[in-house]
Amino acid sequence: VFAMNLEECYDLKEMIALTMENEDDVYDKIVKNNVLESLDMTKASFFNIIFEKCLFIDCELDKCSFNNVVFKNCEFPNANFMEGSFSQCEFIDCQAKGANFMENRFHDVTIRDSNFRYGNFTKSKFDRVEILAVDMSDTFFSECHFKNMFLSETKFINTEFF
């Protein structure tokens, strides 16, 4: 997926503060084993990023843009991703229990081997999205638009679609 060399980022919190201060984007990074708690990253843009084994506890990621981003073995307990966009992204073996993805756009996204239970995707738009072996139980998909979806081995127990 990534044709260029990615620079390792050891302190995501510091990098986010610098890029937000300079109104810049976060790009071409690999971020491993970072723990972020209650961090406000509203309106941040991420390009060509790999997040691996990162923990985003109660983080604000509203109106963020993620392009060509991989989340691998990441956790997002109660994180807010409202009104954002995900393009050419992958969530692999992630835990996003109770995460709020309300009013997001998902284009060319794969979610696999993950747990998104108790999530909220209300009013989101999905185009060319694969959801593979994911627990989406007790999740809200009210007023969503779905186009070119592929689902396999995914649980939708007590999930609301209306």
Side-chain angles (χ1 to χ4, degrees):
V1 173
F2 298 93
M4 71 292 298
N5 290 329
L6 301 179
E7 178 184 341
E8 184 122 14
C9 170
Y10 297 99
D11 188 348
L12 182 59
K13 188 173 184 175
E14 181 181 316
M15 183 184 66
I16 293 292
L18 287 172
T19 56
M20 298 290 275
E21 182 180 304
N22 297 326
E23 297 182 9
D24 201 1
D25 299 327
V26 180
Y27 57 91
D28 300 338
K29 304 279 188 234
I30 182 163
V31 183
K32 294 182 181 179
N33 302 311
N34 273 241
V35 177
L36 302 171
E37 190 165 359
S38 302
L39 185 63
D40 187 352
M41 295 180 263
T42 301
K43 295 184 181 178
S45 293
F46 300 88
F47 298 92
N48 304 320
I49 308 286
I50 296 175
F51 292 105
E52 191 170 331
K53 295 182 181 175
C54 293
L55 180 57
F56 300 83
I57 304 167
D58 296 318
C59 288
E60 295 296 329
L61 294 141
D62 295 339
K63 299 180 181 176
C64 284
S65 174
F66 298 90
N67 294 280
N68 202 27
V69 173
V70 174
F71 298 96
K72 187 174 183 184
N73 299 105
C74 292
E75 296 183 34
F76 309 94
N78 301 313
N80 280 311
F81 290 89
M82 291 179 59
E83 299 179 33
S85 67
F86 295 84
S87 181
Q88 298 178 333
C89 294
E90 290 183 78
F91 291 87
I92 303 164
D93 197 24
C94 290
Q95 301 293 317
K97 287 184 181 177
N100 187 359
F101 291 91
M102 190 172 175
E103 295 186 53
N104 270 271
R105 291 179 315 278
F106 297 89
H107 181 75
D108 284 328
V109 172
T110 299
I111 305 170
R112 76 170 48 131
D113 302 316
S114 297
N115 187 337
F116 280 67
R117 192 170 189 163
Y118 307 112
N120 183 5
F121 292 88
T122 299
K123 296 184 180 179
S124 290
K125 295 178 182 179
F126 299 82
D127 184 20
R128 295 199 321 230
V129 174
E130 294 182 325
I131 303 176
L132 314 167
V134 177
D135 188 352
M136 292 281 192
S137 299
D138 300 299
T139 298
F140 294 92
F141 286 97
S142 303
E143 300 180 60
C144 287
H145 294 99
F146 301 100
K147 184 177 174 184
N148 302 312
M149 297 283 294
F150 181 78
L151 307 170
S152 178
E153 299 179 43
T154 296
K155 292 182 188 176
F156 290 104
I157 300 166
N158 295 323
T159 298
E160 287 192 28
F161 287 96
F162 301 104

